[in-house]
Amino acid sequence: MKSETITVQHIFQNHRQYCVPFYQRAYVWTQQDQWTALLEDITDKAQARLTGAKPTPHFLGAVVLEPQLKNSLMGVDTLHIIDGQQRLTTLQYILASIRLALRATGIKTLESLVLPCLRNTNEETMLNKEIERFKLWPTFRDQPDYIKSLSVDNVYDLLTIFPASFTQHGTLRKHFSHPPSLEALWFFTGAFIEWIRSEEYSPEKNAVALIEAVLSDLKLVSISLEAEDDAQIIFETLNGRGAELHATDLIRNFIFMRAEHDGIDAAALYENEWKPFEDAYWSENQRRGRIYKPRMEWLIHATLQAERQREIDLSRLYNEYRDYVVKDLPARRADQQVELLNRYAVQYKELVSGTGNTALAKLGRRIGAYDITTLYPLVLFISVAGNAEVDKAAMFNDLVSYVVRRAVCGLTPKNYNNVFMNALRHLSKTGISSIELRSFLNNLNGEASRWPGDSEFLNACMTSPLYPGRLDAPRMRSILTEIEGELRRKAKTEEPVAPDLSGLDVDHLMPQNWYAHWPLENGEDVTDSEAAAVKQVVDSGTELTPEQQVVWNRQQAVVTLGNLTLLNLSVNRSVQDSAFARKRDELITNTSLRLNVPLIAKDKWDEDEILVRGKLLGNTALSVWPKGE
């Protein structure tokens, strides 16, 4: 490779075009993070020139360029920007802003100093003048706004071209997503107009100093690759160890640089197969624990786990991906890589959104409240297989049953990464089938991994502290929602499918603060301080008196499944701690849920009623989350 230190004028004045490869990321520099500091550097150099001081060069860093083979005398010379597109694009915005500032201040005669660095001339020798006239050609995501912004002759034309970005008073809207090219031109042009009009020197002198500061005092190290240099290796070296790019940016570049080496039409591959991954959906940050990553990274992470049947180090995602493509035989061509990612992406999107009527979408809805992303690789491995939908549904139902039963029984999810990865490896060896998965789950032993049986699950539904306790509100709501659906199916109601119940509150029929309106069976009232004293006795391990045992039995019954239901938020708040008669009257008026309808006929609500209802709902839960033998 060849390297040299050059000025901005030197890099842009020749008859050439710098192209950002279409698969690189879009322009991301901003006023807050980069432009303001760069503007200060430029005006400092301009001020030094005005005072007669000798300005020292200001280095902007390095750009790595890969000259492209030219097969004809026609057309401009083309160089791909391997690294440094943000710098070069910003410089084009700065030069365009100087031109607009010169026009706004009536100094059009100086335009000739900057135009050669903004436009290629001799359009009659170009193959495509609409593209080749520009000194820099951005990635496709930036092209429409870039072309419009750099084609204006007056800064106020921007208001007409981008009307949605401006207020009625002609200022940029705040808290609005502006095209980067517009925002850059508006910022730099306004600053340059103010600089040129500053009163200590004439506008002409100020303008000349500004132009010289940009063209002569800003310098870059230009690294030009030669035929034997590997652009991908250099790109990785420059970007792989820093935080500037996401792993998915490196992976995208790897795929499309490899496409060119494989003799594949990279542009067609990008346009026809990769482009959906540029949607904002895939770049949106998603949280896993304390880690935030773009959704695309989570997709690739799950894909690699499914394909390689082992844990994947998220911090080394790019290296893991490259090893999978290159070292795992057979090596995969670029088009095969994109096809694989698309195949998994369709399933992944359906899983995380939970929308649709497929077995996978239903699974996504059913496990959404549990936030068990360690299950994703196994689910995707099953989902992309060629099994019949009924067989996949059976496997997904077993996985939901495994997760829900363990949660209700108070068993830890901490070993799920090992459980589900071992299940994936098992299926990869035996073949994917509901019989094999069920056999694997049934053979798990130990508190960290076993699948609870019916008697344990039913007992937990009837007597265990579920909410608050073993389950949070979203999980408790999910369980009650599924039980409601099963009750409707068994009752053969006019609405066999439950409506969306996600907006309902989880309610305790006998309230947690039962002391004011809910006397004990013997008619005695209990204060909250007396109930707290009983809890202290239990915690100390001291034996309870018969009277204390009655209070403690009630405290335990309140948080069991038999005492829980779903209510409209406003109804729940209005009768939250009220006596049962008032709650029952509100249920008559405000509910049609099968969970609640039998309560309307009740005259009282106590520990015995809670236990009876707990058994009924527990038996229903056995149907919703069965354990196949």
Side-chain angles (χ1 to χ4, degrees):
M1 64 183 71
K2 298 177 182 178
S3 66
E4 58 179 331
T5 301
I6 57 176
T7 64
V8 171
Q9 184 175 24
H10 186 180
I11 201 168
F12 284 127
Q13 68 181 358
N14 293 326
H15 196 249
R16 57 172 54 174
Q17 184 179 72
Y18 300 96
C19 293
V20 181
F22 56 84
Y23 45 81
Q24 286 198 22
R25 65 174 178 171
Y27 182 77
V28 295
W29 278 18
T30 64
Q31 176 181 339
Q32 179 178 346
D33 293 336
Q34 290 91 11
W35 301 340
T36 299
L38 183 53
L39 174 64
E40 290 176 359
D41 294 330
I42 292 170
T43 54
D44 285 348
K45 301 304 174 187
Q47 185 64 40
R49 285 184 172 274
L50 286 172
T51 58
K54 184 177 180 180
T56 56
H58 177 76
F59 284 93
L60 296 175
V63 294
V64 181
L65 308 169
E66 183 182 36
Q68 300 299 296
L69 184 64
K70 186 179 178 185
N71 297 317
S72 170
L73 292 175
M74 298 292 288
V76 300
D77 293 334
T78 302
L79 298 93
H80 280 183
I81 306 173
I82 304 304
D83 192 62
Q85 65 134 319
Q86 305 290 329
R87 296 179 182 87
L88 293 180
T89 304
T90 302
L91 288 170
Q92 283 295 292
Y93 291 152
I94 287 172
L95 291 168
S97 297
I98 291 176
R99 175 175 174 264
L100 294 176
L102 293 175
R103 285 176 160 258
T105 54
I107 317 176
K108 292 176 61 175
T109 54
L110 297 181
E111 273 190 74
S112 59
L113 297 177
V114 296
L115 272 175
C117 294
L118 274 172
R119 294 283 191 276
N120 287 315
T121 55
N122 302 323
E123 292 188 356
E124 63 277 4
T125 66
M126 296 178 181
L127 294 172
N128 186 341
K129 66 181 181 179
E130 300 301 324
I131 293 176
E132 294 180 37
R133 63 165 61 111
F134 293 97
K135 289 287 184 179
L136 182 140
W137 191 244
T139 187
F140 88 95
R141 287 159 291 178
D142 291 331
Q143 285 170 14
D145 294 325
Y146 178 88
I147 293 170
K148 289 187 285 188
S149 298
L150 264 69
S151 298
V152 301
D153 292 321
N154 185 303
V155 65
Y156 297 107
D157 290 343
L158 295 171
L159 280 75
T160 304
I161 296 173
F162 301 101
S165 287
F166 291 91
T167 68
Q168 292 180 342
H169 303 290
T171 58
L172 275 184
R173 294 184 185 276
K174 295 181 180 180
H175 311 297
F176 188 84
S177 180
H178 303 289
S181 58
L182 161 66
E183 203 163 2
L185 260 64
W186 194 257
F187 170 74
F188 283 113
T189 302
F192 292 155
I193 290 173
E194 184 178 350
W195 168 265
I196 290 171
R197 286 176 175 168
S198 56
E199 296 180 354
E200 188 172 353
Y201 299 94
S202 69
E204 289 77 8
K205 283 188 176 182
N206 289 337
V208 169
L210 182 65
I211 294 169
E212 290 177 336
V214 172
L215 293 182
S216 302
D217 298 336
L218 300 184
K219 295 191 175 183
L220 306 102
V221 176
S222 173
I223 301 173
S224 184
L225 304 187
E226 297 181 302
E228 64 273 15
D229 294 323
D230 190 320
Q232 175 62 24
I233 297 299
I234 292 170
F235 182 85
E236 293 170 18
T237 302
L238 291 168
N239 295 289
R241 296 188 181 91
E244 183 179 2
L245 297 179
H246 290 298
T248 44
D249 294 310
L250 294 169
I251 290 169
R252 181 178 57 229
N253 279 278
F254 174 82
I255 290 172
F256 287 96
M257 286 184 174
R258 190 171 180 86
E260 294 173 353
H261 294 161
D262 292 343
I264 294 170
D265 185 340
L269 180 64
Y270 187 94
E271 189 67 27
N272 298 331
E273 304 295 335
W274 180 270
K275 202 170 181 179
F277 291 123
E278 300 300 335
D279 188 84
Y281 174 86
W282 293 109
S283 60
E284 182 181 351
N285 274 341
Q286 297 293 297
R287 181 183 63 83
R288 302 273 179 89
R290 291 175 292 180
I291 301 174
Y292 284 85
K293 292 287 185 182
R295 189 179 273 117
M296 184 68 179
E297 287 199 24
W298 295 122
L299 164 66
I300 295 174
H301 186 245
T303 299
L304 289 178
Q305 287 180 303
E307 286 291 304
R308 306 192 84 179
Q309 287 105 51
R310 66 171 177 81
E311 292 295 333
I312 297 296
D313 185 350
L314 183 64
S315 66
R316 298 185 68 256
L317 186 62
Y318 169 67
N319 293 323
E320 294 269 16
Y321 180 86
R322 185 180 58 188
D323 289 348
Y324 165 70
V325 169
V326 176
K327 294 182 180 180
D328 289 5
L329 297 177
R332 291 158 180 81
R333 300 191 314 270
D335 56 341
Q336 294 171 325
Q337 297 174 50
V338 178
E339 188 277 330
L340 177 77
L341 291 175
N342 268 305
R343 185 152 49 95
Y344 273 90
V346 171
Q347 309 299 321
Y348 186 91
K349 198 169 185 178
E350 196 168 343
L351 171 62
V352 299
S353 68
T355 55
N357 293 314
T358 66
L360 180 61
K362 292 175 182 176
L363 170 70
R365 289 195 295 273
R366 298 181 74 189
I367 67 167
Y370 294 86
D371 194 26
I372 302 178
T373 54
T374 51
L375 183 60
Y376 286 6
L378 173 59
V379 170
L380 293 174
F381 183 71
I382 295 170
S383 188
V384 299
N387 296 58
E389 187 78 358
V390 65
D391 198 40
K392 291 180 182 179
M395 287 186 273
F396 294 157
N397 287 338
D398 280 351
L399 290 172
V400 175
S401 171
Y402 178 84
V403 168
V404 172
R405 284 184 173 226
R406 286 186 58 84
V408 169
C409 292
L411 298 173
T412 178
K414 291 182 178 179
N415 195 41
Y416 282 177
N417 58 330
N418 292 322
V419 169
F420 298 137
M421 184 54 67
N422 287 335
L424 196 160
R425 294 190 187 107
H426 176 80
L427 294 181
S428 71
K429 293 175 183 177
T430 64
I432 301 172
S433 75
S434 57
I435 294 174
E436 285 297 339
L437 179 60
R438 183 170 296 172
S439 172
F440 174 85
L441 295 175
N442 275 320
N443 286 326
L444 292 171
N445 296 307
E447 295 301 290
S449 58
R450 64 184 179 82
W451 189 6
D454 286 356
S455 60
E456 181 182 3
F457 184 47
L458 178 59
N459 183 64
C461 288
M462 293 175 62
T463 64
S464 294
L466 295 189
Y467 179 73
R470 294 174 178 178
L471 304 173
D472 59 14
R475 295 176 188 184
M476 194 67 250
R477 185 184 299 108
S478 175
I479 284 176
L480 291 170
T481 297
E482 290 213 54
I483 290 176
E484 170 68 19
E486 183 66 12
L487 290 172
R488 287 175 180 240
R489 283 188 289 273
K490 288 182 175 179
K492 300 180 180 180
T493 63
E494 293 85 352
E495 293 182 282
V497 178
D500 181 12
L501 306 181
S502 60
L504 299 186
D505 255 10
V506 178
D507 176 64
H508 297 81
L509 293 168
M510 180 185 291
Q512 295 182 81
N513 297 317
W514 50 268
Y515 322 109
H517 302 291
W518 296 71
L520 297 175
E521 190 67 25
N522 59 13
E524 292 184 5
D525 291 324
V526 177
T527 66
D528 54 354
S529 59
E530 289 172 334
V534 172
K535 177 68 164 58
Q536 290 177 346
V537 173
V538 172
D539 292 342
S540 70
T542 306
E543 185 176 354
L544 295 172
T545 67
E547 293 79 10
Q548 290 173 329
Q549 188 66 55
V550 172
V551 174
W552 183 241
N553 289 345
R554 173 165 288 191
Q555 292 285 74
Q556 290 181 299
V558 165
V559 293
T560 60
L561 179 61
N563 191 50
L564 298 169
T565 191
L566 295 173
L567 281 180
N568 180 280
L569 176 62
S570 59
V571 175
N572 187 20
R573 297 292 165 84
S574 66
V575 297
Q576 196 165 35
D577 296 332
S578 300
F580 177 69
R582 186 180 173 200
K583 278 201 168 187
R584 182 193 58 204
D585 292 344
E586 288 293 333
L587 289 174
I588 294 172
T589 307
N590 294 288
T591 188
S592 61
L593 297 185
R594 298 302 304 177
L595 282 166
N596 298 332
V597 169
L599 300 171
I600 295 171
K602 300 289 182 182
D603 293 323
K604 66 173 184 174
W605 192 251
D606 57 19
E607 292 85 338
D608 291 338
E609 293 287 354
I610 290 172
L611 188 62
V612 170
R613 184 170 180 266
K615 186 174 183 179
L616 170 67
L617 298 185
N619 280 312
T620 305
L622 291 175
S623 299
V624 178
W625 299 283
K627 181 186 178 184
E629 299 298 336

